[in-house]
Amino acid sequence: MPSLSVILPAYNEEAMLPKTARVLAQILEGEKIDYELVFVDDGSKDLTWSEVLTAHQANDRVHGVHFSRNFGKEAAIFAGLAAAKGDCAAVMDCDLQHPPQTLVQMYRLWQQGYEVIEGVKKSRGKESGAHRAAAGVFYSLMSRATKIDMSRASDFKLLDRRAVNTLLDMPEQNAFFRAMSAWIGFRQTQVEFDVQEREAGVSKWSTRKLIRYAISNIAGYSTAPMQCVTWAGAAFLAFAIILGIQTLVRYFTGHAVEGFTTVILLVLLTGSIIMISLGVIGYYVARIYEEAKRRPRYIVSRTV
């Protein structure tokens, strides 16, 4: 049984996977760490799985899990945790933007007794201003929802076997690894790292995917949107009371409010608030429906 399992979710990473397997093997063997590398092919459309098989032939410590289709990074992480055999398990990106030397530092902290070692971003690398601002808003909301500072959080973590088993025992289908690994507790510490530049391939996160990812995880860990609906209703009620009193006063003093425009604006405002409220409530109902179906997080088609 290996001491360290390194879980590497991969989606269309044929260009980086051979180097990642080679670099990690060199570093971990140089540090005399007993390891295994678990690549999880998240339904890639390129030759990622072929590269996993090639890497396995060159190094029998390389293992692979292949999904029947693309299930997303969160599913790939949990599939890797389920396949990991090590006394501790680390999750890192397959593109080497998470520096391997920091992984060694995490492992040494685990040997000192820490059970959850979180990699926090010292710098975020090259990002557009809009992306940086959006990330700031998202992590601010998530920090309030989880009561944990997630402003520099990442998926780069090392977990003791007890922490891994605790995560695998959690039944929810829409999992958010980045928050769940902090939420479970245990003895935790942090390691700072600088996000490295991608050497090959392109980022798999489009703006649309990031927005959907943010909305899904905020709804999964916070009832804030539901509370916003309540506050919006209360604010509109106060506005309606004030407007109603003003209208009655003007009516009894012989200065009744005239004009079709006022009525139309009030109807549009009311309708908009109602529709938005129904949309927020409907989203939460949809999440409950997804959980109630109890479908698996992922489907494994092949392993090596």
Side-chain angles (χ1 to χ4, degrees):
M1 179 182 293
S3 179
L4 170 65
S5 299
V6 184
I7 298 160
L8 300 122
Y11 179 66
N12 293 344
E13 292 288 358
E14 64 175 357
M16 280 300 298
L17 196 146
K19 180 176 181 179
T20 299
R22 184 173 65 255
V23 169
L24 286 175
Q26 290 174 350
I27 290 176
L28 295 176
E29 289 171 7
E31 295 289 336
K32 295 181 171 54
I33 298 174
D34 187 16
Y35 72 94
E36 67 172 354
L37 304 181
V38 182
F39 288 95
V40 183
D41 182 0
D42 186 18
S44 298
K45 299 177 181 178
D46 61 1
L47 298 178
T48 296
W49 183 245
S50 296
E51 294 295 346
V52 172
L53 297 177
T54 301
H56 173 72
Q57 291 174 354
N59 181 358
D60 61 5
R61 296 190 182 203
V62 174
H63 309 300
V65 176
H66 185 273
F67 284 174
S68 61
R69 65 170 178 82
N70 178 249
F71 283 92
K73 186 177 181 180
E74 300 295 326
I77 290 174
F78 278 87
L81 291 174
K85 300 296 190 295
D87 297 321
C88 62
V91 176
M92 64 184 298
D93 288 349
C94 186
D95 53 17
L96 292 181
Q97 288 191 292
H98 295 157
Q101 288 295 346
T102 304
L103 177 63
V104 176
Q105 186 180 354
M106 290 177 168
Y107 182 79
R108 300 306 179 200
L109 287 169
W110 172 75
Q111 290 180 315
Q112 296 174 23
Y114 290 100
E115 295 169 294
V116 177
I117 300 93
E118 178 182 5
V120 295
K121 298 174 183 177
K122 187 176 182 181
S123 65
R124 298 185 61 91
K126 292 182 179 180
E127 290 181 341
S128 66
H131 187 280
R132 192 181 300 272
V137 172
F138 169 65
Y139 286 118
S140 175
L141 291 172
M142 288 304 301
S143 297
R144 294 182 183 182
T146 60
K147 305 299 188 293
I148 300 169
D149 181 15
M150 298 191 65
S151 58
R152 298 187 295 159
S154 72
D155 291 325
F156 190 20
K157 301 176 188 288
L158 187 145
L159 309 172
D160 181 75
R161 171 51 56 182
R162 286 205 306 158
V164 171
N165 291 340
T166 299
L167 286 175
L168 293 176
D169 287 339
M170 297 176 74
E172 57 201 80
Q173 304 300 300
N174 294 290
F176 183 30
F177 172 74
R178 198 171 299 187
M180 290 171 66
S181 57
W183 180 85
I184 59 175
F186 294 103
R187 189 183 179 195
Q188 301 192 7
T189 189
Q190 296 181 340
V191 174
E192 289 188 332
F193 71 95
D194 292 310
V195 177
Q196 307 298 301
E197 292 300 317
R198 173 185 281 272
E199 295 183 22
V202 295
S203 174
K204 310 307 182 298
W205 290 99
S206 64
T207 301
R208 182 174 62 86
K209 286 184 178 180
L210 286 171
I211 292 173
R212 290 180 59 186
Y213 184 71
I215 292 174
S216 175
N217 290 318
I218 289 172
Y221 278 84
S222 173
T223 58
M226 298 283 282
Q227 295 169 1
C228 287
V229 170
T230 303
W231 285 110
F236 187 74
L237 175 61
F239 171 73
I241 291 173
I242 294 172
L243 185 62
I245 293 173
Q246 180 192 30
T247 302
L248 289 173
V249 169
R250 293 176 65 88
Y251 175 77
F252 287 114
T253 57
H255 301 87
V257 178
E258 297 180 0
F260 187 65
T261 303
T262 304
V263 176
I264 290 297
L265 290 176
L266 287 174
V267 171
L268 290 175
L269 179 61
T270 306
S272 298
I273 293 176
I274 291 173
M275 294 303 293
I276 292 173
S277 301
L278 288 175
V280 172
I281 295 170
Y283 188 80
Y284 276 88
V285 172
R287 293 297 295 266
I288 295 171
Y289 174 64
E290 291 174 1
E291 292 288 338
K293 287 189 293 187
R294 308 300 300 163
R295 287 180 180 173
R297 289 173 178 158
Y298 54 83
I299 299 173
V300 175
S301 64
R302 282 167 285 177
T303 60
V304 59

